[in-house]
Structure formats: C-alpha cells, structure tokens
Amino acid sequence: MGQSVLILIKPDGLKKSLTGNILSRLSETKLEIVAAKMVRVSKELAEEHYQQLKDKPFFAEIIKYLQGDLHDRKKVMALVYWGAEAIKKCRDLAGSTNPEEAESTSIRGSYGRITTGGIYENVVHVSSNPSEAEREIKLWFTPDEIIVDLYAAKDIIQKEIKKKVWA
Ligand code: UDP
Ligand code: MG
C-alpha cells in the first residue's frame, strides 16, 4: 500500500538555492512525484497549515517564516510524493526538527540552522503521519493538480467564478 506525503521546500531552502539538492536527496527514496508547484503563501494558508501549533510561543514566527517574511523570498515549493512508506522515508531523509540534533548527513542537518530568535529554520516540511498528510495535501492542492487519485473527489459545476485565463 502506497502512502502520500506533503513536502514543502521552505523559503530558506529557496533562498539558499537548495531546490536541486533537496530534490536529488528525495529522489534517493525512489518515490514518485505526483504533484508540484510554487506557492505564494498567505497568512491564512500558513496558519491553517500549522494549526496544531497555534498555542506554541513560536507560532507567530513560524507563520512569518513560512510566508517568507524572514528571507525576502515570498514563495515555497510544494510537492506530493507517493509510494511505499513515503512518510518514514522522507522524514528520515529530512532529519530531526531541530537542525542541531538532526543527523549531519540529513537535509536539515546539512542545511538547517537555529536563528538567534530560537526558530528552527530547517529548510523542508514533511508531513508526519498519514492523517496529517491527507489534511495538508488537501489544503495545498486541488484534486486537478495531482496526477493520480489520492483521495475521494467529486465533480461540481461552478458558475460565475472569477478566475484568470490566458489573454
Ligand atoms: N519549530 C521551531 N521550534 C520548535 C518546534 C518547531 O522553530 O521548538 C518550527 C520548525 O520550523 C518546525 C515547524 O516549527 O519545522 C513545525 O514544527 P513540528 O513540530 O511540526 O516539526 P516538523 O514536523 O516540521 O519536524
Ligand atoms: Mg510537523
């Protein structure tokens, strides 16, 4: 049985030009990429993403971090990987949340840092369990943006929805 996992390359990863390195590290897992895009993160999206941490003292700072306010890079790269034991494989590669405790060869151990303010700038987000992965993937992606059917979806007809199309 395959699992899916949401990966975010956070603004520090983009600022440090680590996209290629991170994607090659993740390719070692032999998992399949089933969705990928660049996202400009709104405050609402960041707060929803980290909703479980809203009572933590560092909540406001990690919202700014994910929005790119700390790095002058207002974007993240969002990806969905799919395959056997996807979550464990990706979390192992990412390393511990605290980059000082992360294995030195892991992504966070290699490229993360702790700011003087105490925030862990750890380059990547990786969902930590299947239900969190499902909640996060549905938050970051629409069914149309994922090339396989991961979760139940339905067709609806929407009228008078304003959206941009090529001129
Ligand atoms: N974080 C932090 N200090 C902490 C715990 C978490 O700065 O003491 C940040 C860190 O960037 C982390 C994010 O908040 O990646 C989300 O925390 P979580 O506990 O979900 O860790 P993760 O699942 O990312 O390893
Ligand atoms: Mg987490």
Side-chain angles (χ1 to χ4, degrees), residues 89-103:
K89 284 177 185 161
C90 293
R91 290 224 32 127
D92 285 352
L93 264 183
S96 302
T97 306
N98 178 342
E100 294 294 327
E101 287 170 6
E103 188 146 359

PDB file of all heavy atoms in Angstrom, residues 89-103:
ATOM      1  N   LYS A  89      10.257   7.373   4.926  1.00  0.00           N
ATOM      2  CA  LYS A  89      11.430   7.582   4.066  1.00  0.00           C
ATOM      3  C   LYS A  89      11.781   9.066   3.989  1.00  0.00           C
ATOM      4  O   LYS A  89      12.952   9.448   4.075  1.00  0.00           O
ATOM      5  CB  LYS A  89      11.169   7.047   2.660  1.00  0.00           C
ATOM      6  CG  LYS A  89      11.244   5.524   2.573  1.00  0.00           C
ATOM      7  CD  LYS A  89      10.914   5.052   1.163  1.00  0.00           C
ATOM      8  CE  LYS A  89      10.873   3.523   1.092  1.00  0.00           C
ATOM      9  NZ  LYS A  89      10.156   3.046  -0.082  1.00  0.00           N
ATOM     10  N   CYS A  90      10.759   9.907   3.800  1.00  0.00           N
ATOM     11  CA  CYS A  90      11.031  11.344   3.654  1.00  0.00           C
ATOM     12  C   CYS A  90      11.427  11.978   4.975  1.00  0.00           C
ATOM     13  O   CYS A  90      12.293  12.843   5.023  1.00  0.00           O
ATOM     14  CB  CYS A  90       9.830  12.070   3.050  1.00  0.00           C
ATOM     15  SG  CYS A  90       9.539  11.582   1.340  1.00  0.00           S
ATOM     16  N   ARG A  91      10.798  11.552   6.082  1.00  0.00           N
ATOM     17  CA  ARG A  91      11.159  12.128   7.388  1.00  0.00           C
ATOM     18  C   ARG A  91      12.573  11.715   7.760  1.00  0.00           C
ATOM     19  O   ARG A  91      13.322  12.507   8.331  1.00  0.00           O
ATOM     20  CB  ARG A  91      10.155  11.733   8.472  1.00  0.00           C
ATOM     21  CG  ARG A  91       8.834  12.426   8.238  1.00  0.00           C
ATOM     22  CD  ARG A  91       8.097  13.059   9.367  1.00  0.00           C
ATOM     23  NE  ARG A  91       8.678  13.660  10.512  1.00  0.00           N
ATOM     24  CZ  ARG A  91       8.402  14.912  10.923  1.00  0.00           C
ATOM     25  NH1 ARG A  91       7.620  15.711  10.239  1.00  0.00           N
ATOM     26  NH2 ARG A  91       8.910  15.363  12.027  1.00  0.00           N
ATOM     27  N   ASP A  92      12.956  10.477   7.443  1.00  0.00           N
ATOM     28  CA  ASP A  92      14.327  10.048   7.733  1.00  0.00           C
ATOM     29  C   ASP A  92      15.340  10.893   6.961  1.00  0.00           C
ATOM     30  O   ASP A  92      16.361  11.312   7.493  1.00  0.00           O
ATOM     31  CB  ASP A  92      14.526   8.563   7.391  1.00  0.00           C
ATOM     32  CG  ASP A  92      13.880   7.653   8.426  1.00  0.00           C
ATOM     33  OD1 ASP A  92      13.415   8.173   9.466  1.00  0.00           O
ATOM     34  OD2 ASP A  92      13.819   6.430   8.197  1.00  0.00           O
ATOM     35  N   LEU A  93      15.033  11.130   5.688  1.00  0.00           N
ATOM     36  CA  LEU A  93      15.945  11.957   4.874  1.00  0.00           C
ATOM     37  C   LEU A  93      16.005  13.392   5.375  1.00  0.00           C
ATOM     38  O   LEU A  93      17.058  14.030   5.316  1.00  0.00           O
ATOM     39  CB  LEU A  93      15.453  11.994   3.426  1.00  0.00           C
ATOM     40  CG  LEU A  93      16.027  11.043   2.426  1.00  0.00           C
ATOM     41  CD1 LEU A  93      15.423  11.336   1.065  1.00  0.00           C
ATOM     42  CD2 LEU A  93      17.553  11.184   2.333  1.00  0.00           C
ATOM     43  N   ALA A  94      14.858  13.914   5.852  1.00  0.00           N
ATOM     44  CA  ALA A  94      14.813  15.300   6.326  1.00  0.00           C
ATOM     45  C   ALA A  94      15.592  15.442   7.623  1.00  0.00           C
ATOM     46  O   ALA A  94      16.284  16.438   7.831  1.00  0.00           O
ATOM     47  CB  ALA A  94      13.366  15.741   6.529  1.00  0.00           C
ATOM     48  N   GLY A  95      15.496  14.467   8.511  1.00  0.00           N
ATOM     49  CA  GLY A  95      16.185  14.553   9.801  1.00  0.00           C
ATOM     50  C   GLY A  95      15.310  15.212  10.855  1.00  0.00           C
ATOM     51  O   GLY A  95      14.196  15.653  10.571  1.00  0.00           O
ATOM     52  N   SER A  96      15.823  15.313  12.089  1.00  0.00           N
ATOM     53  CA  SER A  96      15.050  15.849  13.209  1.00  0.00           C
ATOM     54  C   SER A  96      14.636  17.295  12.985  1.00  0.00           C
ATOM     55  O   SER A  96      15.312  18.038  12.271  1.00  0.00           O
ATOM     56  CB  SER A  96      15.868  15.790  14.501  1.00  0.00           C
ATOM     57  OG  SER A  96      16.261  14.491  14.763  1.00  0.00           O
ATOM     58  N   THR A  97      13.554  17.690  13.669  1.00  0.00           N
ATOM     59  CA  THR A  97      13.030  19.057  13.573  1.00  0.00           C
ATOM     60  C   THR A  97      14.109  20.086  13.929  1.00  0.00           C
ATOM     61  O   THR A  97      14.279  21.090  13.229  1.00  0.00           O
ATOM     62  CB  THR A  97      11.834  19.209  14.541  1.00  0.00           C
ATOM     63  OG1 THR A  97      10.890  18.177  14.254  1.00  0.00           O
ATOM     64  CG2 THR A  97      11.168  20.560  14.397  1.00  0.00           C
ATOM     65  N   ASN A  98      14.829  19.829  15.029  1.00  0.00           N
ATOM     66  CA  ASN A  98      15.923  20.717  15.449  1.00  0.00           C
ATOM     67  C   ASN A  98      17.171  20.398  14.619  1.00  0.00           C
ATOM     68  O   ASN A  98      17.737  19.325  14.744  1.00  0.00           O
ATOM     69  CB  ASN A  98      16.188  20.476  16.940  1.00  0.00           C
ATOM     70  CG  ASN A  98      17.339  21.326  17.459  1.00  0.00           C
ATOM     71  OD1 ASN A  98      18.144  21.830  16.690  1.00  0.00           O
ATOM     72  ND2 ASN A  98      17.405  21.465  18.769  1.00  0.00           N
ATOM     73  N   PRO A  99      17.591  21.335  13.787  1.00  0.00           N
ATOM     74  CA  PRO A  99      18.716  21.028  12.882  1.00  0.00           C
ATOM     75  C   PRO A  99      20.026  20.693  13.595  1.00  0.00           C
ATOM     76  O   PRO A  99      20.877  19.987  13.049  1.00  0.00           O
ATOM     77  CB  PRO A  99      18.867  22.302  12.036  1.00  0.00           C
ATOM     78  CG  PRO A  99      18.065  23.345  12.693  1.00  0.00           C
ATOM     79  CD  PRO A  99      17.051  22.682  13.566  1.00  0.00           C
ATOM     80  N   GLU A 100      20.143  21.143  14.855  1.00  0.00           N
ATOM     81  CA  GLU A 100      21.357  20.811  15.630  1.00  0.00           C
ATOM     82  C   GLU A 100      21.339  19.350  16.069  1.00  0.00           C
ATOM     83  O   GLU A 100      22.384  18.749  16.289  1.00  0.00           O
ATOM     84  CB  GLU A 100      21.469  21.691  16.881  1.00  0.00           C
ATOM     85  CG  GLU A 100      21.697  23.169  16.586  1.00  0.00           C
ATOM     86  CD  GLU A 100      23.053  23.423  15.944  1.00  0.00           C
ATOM     87  OE1 GLU A 100      24.003  22.694  16.273  1.00  0.00           O
ATOM     88  OE2 GLU A 100      23.126  24.336  15.101  1.00  0.00           O
ATOM     89  N   GLU A 101      20.137  18.798  16.197  1.00  0.00           N
ATOM     90  CA  GLU A 101      20.010  17.397  16.618  1.00  0.00           C
ATOM     91  C   GLU A 101      19.885  16.465  15.424  1.00  0.00           C
ATOM     92  O   GLU A 101      20.007  15.255  15.562  1.00  0.00           O
ATOM     93  CB  GLU A 101      18.770  17.229  17.515  1.00  0.00           C
ATOM     94  CG  GLU A 101      18.973  17.819  18.891  1.00  0.00           C
ATOM     95  CD  GLU A 101      17.686  17.881  19.717  1.00  0.00           C
ATOM     96  OE1 GLU A 101      16.648  17.355  19.269  1.00  0.00           O
ATOM     97  OE2 GLU A 101      17.745  18.466  20.809  1.00  0.00           O
ATOM     98  N   ALA A 102      19.608  17.044  14.247  1.00  0.00           N
ATOM     99  CA  ALA A 102      19.408  16.219  13.053  1.00  0.00           C
ATOM    100  C   ALA A 102      20.735  15.571  12.657  1.00  0.00           C
ATOM    101  O   ALA A 102      21.806  16.177  12.805  1.00  0.00           O
ATOM    102  CB  ALA A 102      18.873  17.081  11.916  1.00  0.00           C
ATOM    103  N   GLU A 103      20.640  14.366  12.174  1.00  0.00           N
ATOM    104  CA  GLU A 103      21.828  13.669  11.677  1.00  0.00           C
ATOM    105  C   GLU A 103      22.545  14.568  10.670  1.00  0.00           C
ATOM    106  O   GLU A 103      21.903  15.194   9.814  1.00  0.00           O
ATOM    107  CB  GLU A 103      21.379  12.375  11.025  1.00  0.00           C
ATOM    108  CG  GLU A 103      22.527  11.513  10.670  1.00  0.00           C
ATOM    109  CD  GLU A 103      22.208  10.014  10.809  1.00  0.00           C
ATOM    110  OE1 GLU A 103      21.098   9.642  11.199  1.00  0.00           O
ATOM    111  OE2 GLU A 103      23.125   9.265  10.507  1.00  0.00           O
TER     112      GLU A 103
END
